[in-house]
Amino acid sequence: MANRRSLWVLLFIAIFWVSFTVFRNPVKLWTVFKLPVSFNRWNLIMKSSCPAVPLNPPVSPKETELRIREVLEKLDKQIPPRPFTHINNTTSATHSTATILNPRDTYCVGDQLDILVEARDHLRNRKGYGGDFLRARMSSPALKAGASGKVTDFNNGTYLVNFTLFWEGPVSLSILLMHPSEGVSALWRARKQGYDRIIFSGQFVSGASQVHTECALVLNSSAELCQYLDAQDQEAFYCVKPPNVPCAALTHMHSKNKEVSYLSQQERSLFERSNIGVEIMGKSNVISVSKCNTLVSVDLHRDWGKSQHQLAVDLDEKISIQWQKHGYPLIGSLVYSVKEIENIARIIDRTGGEKNTVLVISLGQHFRPFPIDVFIRRVLNVHRALQRLLLRSPDTLVVLKTENIRELNSDVERLSDFHGYTQYLALKDIFQDLNVGVIDAWDMTIAYGTNNVHPPEDVVRSQINIFLNYIC
């Protein structure tokens, strides 16, 4: 790195795979900056300094509720209710068609490739409405190259999938039906019902005794409750109060899934593994791309280097990294200390910030099992804390990392990537007015086709390299 000033990197993330290593020569990190994937950029680009952010008075709970409702209404418009009478009337990947528009024997690097998808049900009837959850990807495994496609829903049963051809050689095309529109509608309805898909158990310690009680974001209990409230942002978490034990005696927490479903038996049949991520393209899914004799071409694939994936801490160069888990809800079967978690917004408010301070923030996976208003509220509060930070320190670098796609056989009602996609849309909506850097892990993991909440090392390395591109 050319910049030898002290650099503080603060990471607030919802996952636990980050490792820290001391390097004697930080310049070596650049040897792994090889990007075999393409990235859809948000309209969020970090500049050398941020524009002045108006100093707003404290936001009232009513204003927060109105903003949550506004974001929810935008999502509702994109996910309208769909009728579901029989599985035969739902979208079938087998009977749907994907047609390359204006096909050619050979394409050139930099060309646009459009594919028209016509959705049909299991009886081969044309669908008259949209809303199917599709995932488009092109790849060349021999080159370790991949890119996501852009899907446009015309809301009449047809979709346009657009690819930019970034590299030469044989390119495989894939369009997966992740969930039919009827399943999407069912998941969206079910997510709005209930906070009880996850059971939290809190451990209270008083002297030599330990007591465990039920905890949750919302507790329907007549028993006396302990309320753990962030007074500024009005975010609360509750535990049943143990007899003769103070609320402050809460020390540890763990969670497990509760056997509860808000889907009908018929709806659950849509989410059997054989119905998730089914290919629409068929066998004619490979095209040939040549470099051609063009003045301008785009080539984002490169060979991987051999360096190991590590996130650097260089003491000689005065680089320090602080890592912090976000506050409730933090789900996991392993017991964790509640003394180690805190509302991210409060940590941001304590951060002085300056040109050598970088904040990386990632929220997502741990919010999927809960109604999406929980996620929206947290993102709004983090957004406001960052507004305050960038007002007092406009040279501070803020980077958002979106969530990864995950396993297709995950508990769909709790953890489907559809839930992650709605959170991805909400995050983009809320942060559209701030100049922040973006590590678009959602797009990157689609491009790689990882389907793993903890992606392989080369994918993590690529995400870290994007981060290093912002700071070096």
Side-chain angles (χ1 to χ4, degrees), residues 33-44:
F33 193 65
K34 313 268 187 171
L35 306 180
V37 295
S38 69
F39 310 99
N40 290 336
R41 295 190 62 85
W42 293 7
N43 293 324
L44 312 175

Side-chain angles (χ1 to χ4, degrees), residues 63-362:
E63 288 179 274
T64 298
E65 296 303 322
L66 289 174
R67 184 71 176 102
I68 292 173
R69 188 183 307 170
E70 178 185 323
V71 176
L72 269 172
E73 287 176 351
K74 290 181 181 179
L75 292 172
D76 281 333
K77 288 180 180 178
Q78 298 184 62
I79 316 166
R82 296 303 185 197
F84 180 33
T85 55
H86 194 278
I87 194 167
N88 284 343
N89 302 121
T90 65
T91 308
S92 163
T94 302
H95 296 121
S96 297
T97 60
T99 305
I100 296 177
L101 302 181
N102 303 313
R104 287 185 266 161
D105 292 335
T106 302
Y107 297 85
C108 295
V109 171
D111 282 351
Q112 300 295 307
L113 178 71
D114 291 326
I115 300 175
L116 181 67
V117 175
E118 295 182 336
R120 294 181 180 271
D121 64 21
H122 291 264
L123 301 176
R124 301 179 185 270
N125 298 315
R126 279 280 306 272
K127 298 292 292 289
Y129 50 83
D132 296 308
F133 185 32
L134 305 180
R135 177 173 295 167
R137 174 178 181 254
M138 67 178 193
S139 62
S140 294
L143 298 174
K144 296 184 179 179
S148 64
K150 178 183 177 182
V151 179
T152 301
D153 185 350
F154 294 118
N155 299 309
N156 61 2
T158 63
Y159 305 82
L160 183 68
V161 177
N162 172 263
F163 291 103
T164 299
L165 305 179
F166 291 109
W167 59 85
E168 61 181 309
V171 175
S172 297
L173 305 173
S174 171
I175 301 174
L176 300 180
L177 175 64
M178 303 302 294
H179 302 309
S181 54
E182 296 79 8
V184 167
S185 179
L187 285 176
W188 186 236
R189 187 204 71 245
R191 185 173 184 181
K192 297 177 181 179
Q193 299 175 257
Y195 295 79
D196 57 349
R197 294 180 181 87
I198 303 293
I199 301 173
F200 291 91
S201 179
Q203 175 182 299
F204 292 77
V205 176
S206 181
S209 64
Q210 295 183 3
V211 183
H212 293 83
T213 72
E214 183 181 0
C215 303
L217 291 165
V218 175
L219 272 179
N220 296 318
S221 173
S222 59
E224 184 180 1
L225 301 180
C226 292
Q227 182 191 58
Y228 302 96
L229 175 69
D230 183 285
Q232 181 166 336
D233 290 339
Q234 294 297 301
E235 291 191 60
F237 192 77
Y238 300 90
C239 292
V240 173
K241 185 181 183 301
N244 305 315
V245 176
C247 292
L250 178 65
T251 61
H252 291 80
M253 189 76 62
H254 75 277
S255 67
K256 63 180 181 179
N257 293 343
K258 181 179 179 180
E259 294 301 320
V260 62
S261 175
Y262 294 95
L263 298 172
S264 68
Q265 184 175 354
Q266 186 180 28
E267 288 170 337
R268 287 195 292 274
S269 69
L270 296 174
F271 306 113
E272 296 173 359
R273 176 62 188 89
S274 59
N275 294 329
I276 301 173
V278 185
E279 184 62 64
I280 295 177
M281 278 299 298
K283 296 181 179 179
S284 302
N285 66 337
V286 179
I287 61 170
S288 177
V289 181
S290 299
K291 195 168 186 179
C292 303
N293 186 23
T294 55
L295 294 176
V296 179
S297 65
V298 181
D299 187 2
L300 293 185
H301 81 276
R302 301 173 187 168
D303 294 332
W304 281 104
K306 301 296 183 181
S307 301
Q308 296 295 313
H309 145 236
Q310 291 172 328
L311 185 59
V313 181
D314 195 302
L315 301 181
D316 293 336
E317 300 296 331
K318 299 181 180 178
I319 297 174
S320 176
I321 296 179
Q322 299 178 14
W323 179 82
Q324 175 68 48
K325 297 188 288 288
H326 67 68
Y328 305 116
L330 190 63
I331 61 178
S333 58
L334 297 178
V335 176
Y336 59 87
S337 170
V338 301
K339 307 302 181 184
E340 297 175 357
I341 63 176
E342 187 177 1
N343 190 317
I344 292 177
R346 300 291 75 74
I347 302 173
I348 295 172
D349 283 338
R350 291 200 306 270
T351 302
E354 40 82 53
K355 60 185 177 181
N356 293 319
T357 299
V358 183
L359 277 74
V360 183
I361 299 173
S362 180

Side-chain angles (χ1 to χ4, degrees), residues 414-462:
R414 260 181 277 262
L415 299 172
S416 168
D417 274 341
F418 167 71
H419 297 321
Y421 181 61
T422 57
Q423 292 179 173
Y424 178 78
L425 295 177
L427 190 73
K428 290 177 71 172
D429 182 22
I430 293 168
F431 272 90
Q432 62 183 322
D433 63 339
L434 280 187
N435 267 331
V436 297
V438 177
I439 302 171
D440 198 341
W442 181 267
D443 186 70
M444 293 171 70
T445 49
I446 288 176
Y448 275 100
T450 54
N451 298 320
N452 191 331
V453 68
H454 300 297
E457 186 173 291
D458 54 351
V459 180
V460 178
R461 183 192 301 127
S462 186

